[in-house]
Amino acid sequence: TQLLEQSPQFLSIQEGENLTVYCNSSSVFSSLQWYRQEPGEGPVLLVTVVTGGEVKKLKRLTFQFGDARKDSSLHITAAQTGDTGLYLCAGAPSSNYQLIWGAGTKLIIKP
Amino acid sequence: DTEVTQTPKHLVMGMTNKKSLKCEQHMGHRAMYWYKQKAKKPPELMFVYSYEKLSINESVPSRFSPECPNSSLLNLHLHALQPEDSALYLCASSPGGGTYTFGSGTRLTVV
């Protein structure tokens, strides 16, 4: 059974601070996605990474895919209160139709 | 159109009721999914349809009955649900290759 370990599961920091969320696995993924979810809404895709070592930036968010395509990180610079939400990583083991989900990181940014 | 549309957004039903959740996408995606999500947890896969045929049923109780009338529509028929079935039900679609689009979900409450 493939697993995707996401950490931390909960993070509460002050506005302006930096943070990093990690997703790790012993398995290789053909792609890995990061989602942000608001309460009562569906997950919204932030980024998909597919190439080992790939780094993608989305404004203050930086996403990295490990060289071996087994792990990924999300780094937020100068967090804002609008970044508050549940962040989920999800890996596609191959080009089939299923996703392996991390447990999620509940992020709270305090003003 | 780059969205997955789910209706209704909220649903309250009794344990003896029959109701249906609807999902629609016009992106030409060949796979469609139903997920169940409890609060602060990642989505749990329920069903996968590939080319309008049920390809995966993750041991879901028969009180949940999926239907795919055509390549754009996916329904989830509900009958004799239990209070523990209360959750956010998410529909997603994918063209394959690890890219997914989620709907905003139906918040279901069983009373």
Side-chain angles (χ1 to χ4, degrees):
Chain A
T1 302
Q2 290 182 286
L3 295 174
L4 199 50
E5 296 183 359
Q6 186 172 347
S7 63
Q9 292 196 17
F10 181 79
L11 186 58
S12 178
I13 62 172
Q14 293 294 138
E15 193 171 29
E17 295 183 2
N18 302 332
L19 66 110
T20 302
V21 179
Y22 300 93
C23 273
N24 297 297
S25 176
S26 58
S27 304
V28 175
F29 293 101
S30 63
S31 67
L32 195 140
Q33 293 151 28
W34 287 91
Y35 293 86
R36 179 168 170 268
Q37 187 175 20
E38 300 276 3
E41 297 290 329
V44 175
L45 180 66
L46 297 175
V47 77
T48 299
V49 286
V50 297
T51 304
E54 184 176 7
V55 176
K56 282 190 173 180
K57 292 195 174 186
L58 186 64
K59 297 183 181 177
R60 294 175 294 100
L61 278 59
T62 302
F63 305 87
Q64 187 163 6
F65 202 14
D67 291 341
R69 291 186 290 134
K70 294 182 180 180
D71 54 85
S72 181
S73 63
L74 157 61
H75 182 79
I76 300 180
T77 303
Q80 299 177 357
T81 55
D83 296 327
T84 293
L86 178 67
Y87 289 81
L88 293 156
C89 63
S94 64
S95 58
N96 67 18
Y97 298 124
Q98 297 194 61
L99 283 175
I100 307 297
W101 292 87
T105 296
K106 175 66 176 173
L107 176 63
I108 296 176
I109 308 300
K110 297 177 286 188
Chain B
D1 188 351
T2 58
E3 292 184 345
V4 172
T5 303
Q6 287 188 246
T7 56
K9 192 165 177 64
H10 300 277
L11 178 63
V12 179
M13 61 184 290
M15 289 188 283
T16 59
N17 291 160
K18 285 185 180 181
K19 296 288 184 182
S20 296
L21 309 184
K22 297 186 183 301
C23 174
E24 189 168 2
Q25 59 90 10
H26 296 287
M27 295 176 280
H29 288 178
R30 56 189 180 178
M32 295 185 76
Y33 310 74
W34 280 115
Y35 283 88
K36 173 183 177 181
Q37 187 179 26
K38 289 284 199 179
K40 301 178 185 178
K41 298 291 185 182
E44 299 172 36
L45 183 64
M46 300 175 72
F47 302 104
V48 180
Y49 272 81
S50 174
Y51 294 103
E52 303 169 46
K53 292 192 185 327
L54 183 64
S55 62
I56 295 175
N57 175 342
E58 290 287 345
S59 302
V60 179
S62 59
R63 58 186 184 269
F64 295 92
S65 175
E67 178 197 18
C68 189
N70 60 56
S71 60
S72 298
L73 295 174
L74 186 66
N75 299 321
L76 186 62
H77 302 299
L78 314 173
H79 174 55
L81 295 193
Q82 303 297 311
E84 59 265 28
D85 295 321
S86 298
L88 181 67
Y89 287 84
L90 295 164
C91 175
S93 69
S94 169
T99 302
Y100 300 79
T101 303
F102 282 84
S104 58
T106 294
R107 171 67 63 189
L108 175 68
T109 303
V110 181
V111 297

PDB file of all heavy atoms in Angstrom, chain B residues 1 5 18 20-21 24-25 31 35-36 39 41 45-46 51 60 65 67 81 86 92 95-96 98 103 107-108 111:
ATOM      1  N   ASP B   1     -15.286  25.820 -20.830  1.00  0.00           N
ATOM      2  CA  ASP B   1     -15.763  25.478 -19.501  1.00  0.00           C
ATOM      3  C   ASP B   1     -14.722  24.594 -18.825  1.00  0.00           C
ATOM      4  O   ASP B   1     -14.403  23.514 -19.303  1.00  0.00           O
ATOM      5  CB  ASP B   1     -17.107  24.741 -19.605  1.00  0.00           C
ATOM      6  CG  ASP B   1     -17.751  24.529 -18.243  1.00  0.00           C
ATOM      7  OD1 ASP B   1     -17.080  24.792 -17.225  1.00  0.00           O
ATOM      8  OD2 ASP B   1     -18.899  24.082 -18.202  1.00  0.00           O
ATOM      9  N   THR B   5     -19.291  20.945 -11.956  1.00  0.00           N
ATOM     10  CA  THR B   5     -20.437  21.542 -11.265  1.00  0.00           C
ATOM     11  C   THR B   5     -21.198  20.480 -10.497  1.00  0.00           C
ATOM     12  O   THR B   5     -21.596  19.454 -11.066  1.00  0.00           O
ATOM     13  CB  THR B   5     -21.390  22.200 -12.282  1.00  0.00           C
ATOM     14  OG1 THR B   5     -20.658  23.181 -13.031  1.00  0.00           O
ATOM     15  CG2 THR B   5     -22.534  22.888 -11.566  1.00  0.00           C
ATOM     16  N   LYS B  18     -34.961   9.027  -0.314  1.00  0.00           N
ATOM     17  CA  LYS B  18     -34.128   8.762  -1.477  1.00  0.00           C
ATOM     18  C   LYS B  18     -33.804  10.090  -2.126  1.00  0.00           C
ATOM     19  O   LYS B  18     -34.713  10.867  -2.417  1.00  0.00           O
ATOM     20  CB  LYS B  18     -34.880   7.895  -2.495  1.00  0.00           C
ATOM     21  CG  LYS B  18     -35.024   6.439  -2.148  1.00  0.00           C
ATOM     22  CD  LYS B  18     -35.690   5.695  -3.305  1.00  0.00           C
ATOM     23  CE  LYS B  18     -35.854   4.231  -2.986  1.00  0.00           C
ATOM     24  NZ  LYS B  18     -36.479   3.482  -4.108  1.00  0.00           N
ATOM     25  N   SER B  20     -30.639  12.220  -4.806  1.00  0.00           N
ATOM     26  CA  SER B  20     -29.524  12.043  -5.745  1.00  0.00           C
ATOM     27  C   SER B  20     -28.637  13.274  -5.759  1.00  0.00           C
ATOM     28  O   SER B  20     -29.122  14.407  -5.679  1.00  0.00           O
ATOM     29  CB  SER B  20     -30.049  11.798  -7.160  1.00  0.00           C
ATOM     30  OG  SER B  20     -30.773  10.593  -7.216  1.00  0.00           O
ATOM     31  N   LEU B  21     -27.350  13.027  -5.852  1.00  0.00           N
ATOM     32  CA  LEU B  21     -26.368  14.086  -6.066  1.00  0.00           C
ATOM     33  C   LEU B  21     -25.981  14.066  -7.546  1.00  0.00           C
ATOM     34  O   LEU B  21     -25.866  12.992  -8.147  1.00  0.00           O
ATOM     35  CB  LEU B  21     -25.117  13.865  -5.208  1.00  0.00           C
ATOM     36  CG  LEU B  21     -25.328  13.616  -3.717  1.00  0.00           C
ATOM     37  CD1 LEU B  21     -23.977  13.522  -3.010  1.00  0.00           C
ATOM     38  CD2 LEU B  21     -26.217  14.654  -3.096  1.00  0.00           C
ATOM     39  N   GLU B  24     -21.486  17.427 -13.117  1.00  0.00           N
ATOM     40  CA  GLU B  24     -21.430  17.651 -14.555  1.00  0.00           C
ATOM     41  C   GLU B  24     -20.099  18.309 -14.915  1.00  0.00           C
ATOM     42  O   GLU B  24     -19.634  19.206 -14.217  1.00  0.00           O
ATOM     43  CB  GLU B  24     -22.592  18.550 -14.978  1.00  0.00           C
ATOM     44  CG  GLU B  24     -22.785  18.703 -16.462  1.00  0.00           C
ATOM     45  CD  GLU B  24     -24.114  19.365 -16.806  1.00  0.00           C
ATOM     46  OE1 GLU B  24     -24.861  19.745 -15.875  1.00  0.00           O
ATOM     47  OE2 GLU B  24     -24.406  19.509 -17.996  1.00  0.00           O
ATOM     48  N   GLN B  25     -19.499  17.844 -16.011  1.00  0.00           N
ATOM     49  CA  GLN B  25     -18.289  18.473 -16.539  1.00  0.00           C
ATOM     50  C   GLN B  25     -18.339  18.428 -18.057  1.00  0.00           C
ATOM     51  O   GLN B  25     -18.815  17.465 -18.639  1.00  0.00           O
ATOM     52  CB  GLN B  25     -17.009  17.788 -16.003  1.00  0.00           C
ATOM     53  CG  GLN B  25     -16.877  16.305 -16.311  1.00  0.00           C
ATOM     54  CD  GLN B  25     -16.169  15.972 -17.589  1.00  0.00           C
ATOM     55  OE1 GLN B  25     -15.564  16.841 -18.232  1.00  0.00           O
ATOM     56  NE2 GLN B  25     -16.219  14.699 -17.990  1.00  0.00           N
ATOM     57  N   ALA B  31     -12.531  10.294 -17.179  1.00  0.00           N
ATOM     58  CA  ALA B  31     -12.721   9.661 -15.877  1.00  0.00           C
ATOM     59  C   ALA B  31     -13.451  10.612 -14.940  1.00  0.00           C
ATOM     60  O   ALA B  31     -13.178  11.815 -14.927  1.00  0.00           O
ATOM     61  CB  ALA B  31     -11.378   9.280 -15.254  1.00  0.00           C
ATOM     62  N   TYR B  35     -15.939  11.163  -4.287  1.00  0.00           N
ATOM     63  CA  TYR B  35     -15.182  11.105  -3.049  1.00  0.00           C
ATOM     64  C   TYR B  35     -16.094  11.494  -1.893  1.00  0.00           C
ATOM     65  O   TYR B  35     -17.006  12.301  -2.040  1.00  0.00           O
ATOM     66  CB  TYR B  35     -14.022  12.102  -3.051  1.00  0.00           C
ATOM     67  CG  TYR B  35     -12.806  11.713  -3.853  1.00  0.00           C
ATOM     68  CD1 TYR B  35     -12.712  12.019  -5.204  1.00  0.00           C
ATOM     69  CD2 TYR B  35     -11.733  11.081  -3.240  1.00  0.00           C
ATOM     70  CE1 TYR B  35     -11.569  11.700  -5.925  1.00  0.00           C
ATOM     71  CE2 TYR B  35     -10.583  10.760  -3.945  1.00  0.00           C
ATOM     72  CZ  TYR B  35     -10.512  11.073  -5.295  1.00  0.00           C
ATOM     73  OH  TYR B  35      -9.382  10.751  -6.000  1.00  0.00           O
ATOM     74  N   LYS B  36     -15.782  10.966  -0.711  1.00  0.00           N
ATOM     75  CA  LYS B  36     -16.435  11.365   0.525  1.00  0.00           C
ATOM     76  C   LYS B  36     -15.369  11.998   1.419  1.00  0.00           C
ATOM     77  O   LYS B  36     -14.259  11.460   1.541  1.00  0.00           O
ATOM     78  CB  LYS B  36     -17.029  10.138   1.225  1.00  0.00           C
ATOM     79  CG  LYS B  36     -17.600  10.400   2.609  1.00  0.00           C
ATOM     80  CD  LYS B  36     -18.084   9.091   3.221  1.00  0.00           C
ATOM     81  CE  LYS B  36     -18.603   9.304   4.628  1.00  0.00           C
ATOM     82  NZ  LYS B  36     -19.057   8.018   5.247  1.00  0.00           N
ATOM     83  N   ALA B  39     -14.772  16.103   7.965  1.00  0.00           N
ATOM     84  CA  ALA B  39     -14.109  17.348   8.358  1.00  0.00           C
ATOM     85  C   ALA B  39     -12.637  17.122   8.719  1.00  0.00           C
ATOM     86  O   ALA B  39     -12.308  16.188   9.456  1.00  0.00           O
ATOM     87  CB  ALA B  39     -14.844  17.978   9.530  1.00  0.00           C
ATOM     88  N   LYS B  41     -10.238  15.952   7.178  1.00  0.00           N
ATOM     89  CA  LYS B  41      -9.610  14.739   6.663  1.00  0.00           C
ATOM     90  C   LYS B  41      -9.462  14.844   5.150  1.00  0.00           C
ATOM     91  O   LYS B  41     -10.178  15.598   4.506  1.00  0.00           O
ATOM     92  CB  LYS B  41     -10.473  13.514   6.991  1.00  0.00           C
ATOM     93  CG  LYS B  41     -10.661  13.263   8.471  1.00  0.00           C
ATOM     94  CD  LYS B  41      -9.371  12.816   9.115  1.00  0.00           C
ATOM     95  CE  LYS B  41      -9.606  12.442  10.566  1.00  0.00           C
ATOM     96  NZ  LYS B  41      -8.353  12.054  11.240  1.00  0.00           N
ATOM     97  N   LEU B  45     -11.747   8.006  -1.639  1.00  0.00           N
ATOM     98  CA  LEU B  45     -12.312   7.591  -2.916  1.00  0.00           C
ATOM     99  C   LEU B  45     -13.461   6.616  -2.694  1.00  0.00           C
ATOM    100  O   LEU B  45     -13.356   5.672  -1.901  1.00  0.00           O
ATOM    101  CB  LEU B  45     -11.228   6.938  -3.769  1.00  0.00           C
ATOM    102  CG  LEU B  45     -11.632   6.503  -5.166  1.00  0.00           C
ATOM    103  CD1 LEU B  45     -12.021   7.708  -6.022  1.00  0.00           C
ATOM    104  CD2 LEU B  45     -10.499   5.718  -5.822  1.00  0.00           C
ATOM    105  N   MET B  46     -14.563   6.846  -3.439  1.00  0.00           N
ATOM    106  CA  MET B  46     -15.707   5.929  -3.386  1.00  0.00           C
ATOM    107  C   MET B  46     -15.816   5.144  -4.697  1.00  0.00           C
ATOM    108  O   MET B  46     -15.811   3.915  -4.700  1.00  0.00           O
ATOM    109  CB  MET B  46     -17.004   6.708  -3.161  1.00  0.00           C
ATOM    110  CG  MET B  46     -17.046   7.506  -1.871  1.00  0.00           C
ATOM    111  SD  MET B  46     -18.545   8.510  -1.764  1.00  0.00           S
ATOM    112  CE  MET B  46     -19.794   7.257  -1.475  1.00  0.00           C
ATOM    113  N   TYR B  51     -14.524   6.076 -19.007  1.00  0.00           N
ATOM    114  CA  TYR B  51     -15.299   5.910 -20.243  1.00  0.00           C
ATOM    115  C   TYR B  51     -16.719   5.413 -19.944  1.00  0.00           C
ATOM    116  O   TYR B  51     -17.212   4.484 -20.591  1.00  0.00           O
ATOM    117  CB  TYR B  51     -14.595   4.955 -21.206  1.00  0.00           C
ATOM    118  CG  TYR B  51     -13.287   5.489 -21.740  1.00  0.00           C
ATOM    119  CD1 TYR B  51     -12.069   5.022 -21.245  1.00  0.00           C
ATOM    120  CD2 TYR B  51     -13.264   6.460 -22.739  1.00  0.00           C
ATOM    121  CE1 TYR B  51     -10.867   5.511 -21.729  1.00  0.00           C
ATOM    122  CE2 TYR B  51     -12.065   6.962 -23.230  1.00  0.00           C
ATOM    123  CZ  TYR B  51     -10.871   6.476 -22.718  1.00  0.00           C
ATOM    124  OH  TYR B  51      -9.678   6.970 -23.205  1.00  0.00           O
ATOM    125  N   VAL B  60     -17.884   0.357  -1.185  1.00  0.00           N
ATOM    126  CA  VAL B  60     -18.865   1.315  -0.672  1.00  0.00           C
ATOM    127  C   VAL B  60     -20.184   0.577  -0.422  1.00  0.00           C
ATOM    128  O   VAL B  60     -20.606  -0.245  -1.244  1.00  0.00           O
ATOM    129  CB  VAL B  60     -19.072   2.455  -1.691  1.00  0.00           C
ATOM    130  CG1 VAL B  60     -20.100   3.454  -1.183  1.00  0.00           C
ATOM    131  CG2 VAL B  60     -17.749   3.146  -1.984  1.00  0.00           C
ATOM    132  N   SER B  65     -25.389   4.450  -4.653  1.00  0.00           N
ATOM    133  CA  SER B  65     -25.453   3.827  -5.974  1.00  0.00           C
ATOM    134  C   SER B  65     -25.059   4.841  -7.035  1.00  0.00           C
ATOM    135  O   SER B  65     -25.776   5.811  -7.283  1.00  0.00           O
ATOM    136  CB  SER B  65     -26.874   3.322  -6.230  1.00  0.00           C
ATOM    137  OG  SER B  65     -26.982   2.816  -7.537  1.00  0.00           O
ATOM    138  N   GLU B  67     -24.148   6.330 -10.873  1.00  0.00           N
ATOM    139  CA  GLU B  67     -24.668   6.179 -12.225  1.00  0.00           C
ATOM    140  C   GLU B  67     -23.970   7.183 -13.128  1.00  0.00           C
ATOM    141  O   GLU B  67     -23.775   8.338 -12.733  1.00  0.00           O
ATOM    142  CB  GLU B  67     -26.174   6.447 -12.252  1.00  0.00           C
ATOM    143  CG  GLU B  67     -26.815   6.364 -13.630  1.00  0.00           C
ATOM    144  CD  GLU B  67     -28.191   7.023 -13.673  1.00  0.00           C
ATOM    145  OE1 GLU B  67     -28.507   7.826 -12.777  1.00  0.00           O
ATOM    146  OE2 GLU B  67     -28.933   6.727 -14.632  1.00  0.00           O
ATOM    147  N   LEU B  81     -29.748   6.155   4.109  1.00  0.00           N
ATOM    148  CA  LEU B  81     -28.448   6.511   4.663  1.00  0.00           C
ATOM    149  C   LEU B  81     -28.499   6.577   6.190  1.00  0.00           C
ATOM    150  O   LEU B  81     -29.579   6.646   6.801  1.00  0.00           O
ATOM    151  CB  LEU B  81     -27.987   7.860   4.114  1.00  0.00           C
ATOM    152  CG  LEU B  81     -27.697   7.928   2.622  1.00  0.00           C
ATOM    153  CD1 LEU B  81     -26.961   9.207   2.293  1.00  0.00           C
ATOM    154  CD2 LEU B  81     -26.917   6.728   2.152  1.00  0.00           C
ATOM    155  N   SER B  86     -23.145  11.459   6.892  1.00  0.00           N
ATOM    156  CA  SER B  86     -23.059  12.919   6.742  1.00  0.00           C
ATOM    157  C   SER B  86     -21.612  13.301   6.458  1.00  0.00           C
ATOM    158  O   SER B  86     -20.694  12.902   7.183  1.00  0.00           O
ATOM    159  CB  SER B  86     -23.542  13.610   8.017  1.00  0.00           C
ATOM    160  OG  SER B  86     -24.894  13.305   8.272  1.00  0.00           O
ATOM    161  N   ALA B  92     -15.083  14.660  -8.966  1.00  0.00           N
ATOM    162  CA  ALA B  92     -13.899  15.125  -9.672  1.00  0.00           C
ATOM    163  C   ALA B  92     -13.868  14.493 -11.043  1.00  0.00           C
ATOM    164  O   ALA B  92     -14.505  13.454 -11.292  1.00  0.00           O
ATOM    165  CB  ALA B  92     -12.629  14.772  -8.897  1.00  0.00           C
ATOM    166  N   PRO B  95      -8.672  13.893 -17.197  1.00  0.00           N
ATOM    167  CA  PRO B  95      -8.428  13.402 -18.554  1.00  0.00           C
ATOM    168  C   PRO B  95      -7.465  12.216 -18.566  1.00  0.00           C
ATOM    169  O   PRO B  95      -7.196  11.638 -19.604  1.00  0.00           O
ATOM    170  CB  PRO B  95      -7.785  14.618 -19.236  1.00  0.00           C
ATOM    171  CG  PRO B  95      -7.079  15.326 -18.137  1.00  0.00           C
ATOM    172  CD  PRO B  95      -7.888  15.104 -16.890  1.00  0.00           C
ATOM    173  N   GLY B  96      -6.963  11.860 -17.374  1.00  0.00           N
ATOM    174  CA  GLY B  96      -5.924  10.854 -17.253  1.00  0.00           C
ATOM    175  C   GLY B  96      -4.582  11.552 -17.064  1.00  0.00           C
ATOM    176  O   GLY B  96      -4.469  12.760 -17.226  1.00  0.00           O
ATOM    177  N   GLY B  98      -2.927  12.010 -14.253  1.00  0.00           N
ATOM    178  CA  GLY B  98      -2.723  12.609 -12.941  1.00  0.00           C
ATOM    179  C   GLY B  98      -3.213  14.016 -12.768  1.00  0.00           C
ATOM    180  O   GLY B  98      -2.813  14.695 -11.830  1.00  0.00           O
ATOM    181  N   GLY B 103     -15.154  19.426  -8.057  1.00  0.00           N
ATOM    182  CA  GLY B 103     -16.284  20.302  -7.842  1.00  0.00           C
ATOM    183  C   GLY B 103     -16.232  20.885  -6.440  1.00  0.00           C
ATOM    184  O   GLY B 103     -15.359  20.521  -5.635  1.00  0.00           O
ATOM    185  N   ARG B 107     -22.675  19.326   0.591  1.00  0.00           N
ATOM    186  CA  ARG B 107     -22.636  19.090   2.035  1.00  0.00           C
ATOM    187  C   ARG B 107     -23.895  18.329   2.417  1.00  0.00           C
ATOM    188  O   ARG B 107     -24.988  18.867   2.343  1.00  0.00           O
ATOM    189  CB  ARG B 107     -22.572  20.421   2.787  1.00  0.00           C
ATOM    190  CG  ARG B 107     -22.743  20.317   4.296  1.00  0.00           C
ATOM    191  CD  ARG B 107     -21.604  19.597   4.959  1.00  0.00           C
ATOM    192  NE  ARG B 107     -20.342  20.295   4.806  1.00  0.00           N
ATOM    193  CZ  ARG B 107     -19.162  19.785   5.149  1.00  0.00           C
ATOM    194  NH1 ARG B 107     -19.094  18.580   5.665  1.00  0.00           N
ATOM    195  NH2 ARG B 107     -18.072  20.479   4.985  1.00  0.00           N
ATOM    196  N   LEU B 108     -23.740  17.052   2.757  1.00  0.00           N
ATOM    197  CA  LEU B 108     -24.876  16.183   3.072  1.00  0.00           C
ATOM    198  C   LEU B 108     -25.006  16.001   4.569  1.00  0.00           C
ATOM    199  O   LEU B 108     -24.027  15.673   5.247  1.00  0.00           O
ATOM    200  CB  LEU B 108     -24.695  14.822   2.412  1.00  0.00           C
ATOM    201  CG  LEU B 108     -25.747  13.763   2.757  1.00  0.00           C
ATOM    202  CD1 LEU B 108     -27.097  14.152   2.178  1.00  0.00           C
ATOM    203  CD2 LEU B 108     -25.331  12.391   2.238  1.00  0.00           C
ATOM    204  N   VAL B 111     -30.331  13.061   8.852  1.00  0.00           N
ATOM    205  CA  VAL B 111     -30.953  13.242  10.178  1.00  0.00           C
ATOM    206  C   VAL B 111     -31.880  12.085  10.499  1.00  0.00           C
ATOM    207  O   VAL B 111     -32.285  11.317   9.615  1.00  0.00           O
ATOM    208  CB  VAL B 111     -31.704  14.578  10.240  1.00  0.00           C
ATOM    209  CG1 VAL B 111     -30.744  15.733  10.075  1.00  0.00           C
ATOM    210  CG2 VAL B 111     -32.809  14.625   9.200  1.00  0.00           C
TER     211      VAL B 111
END
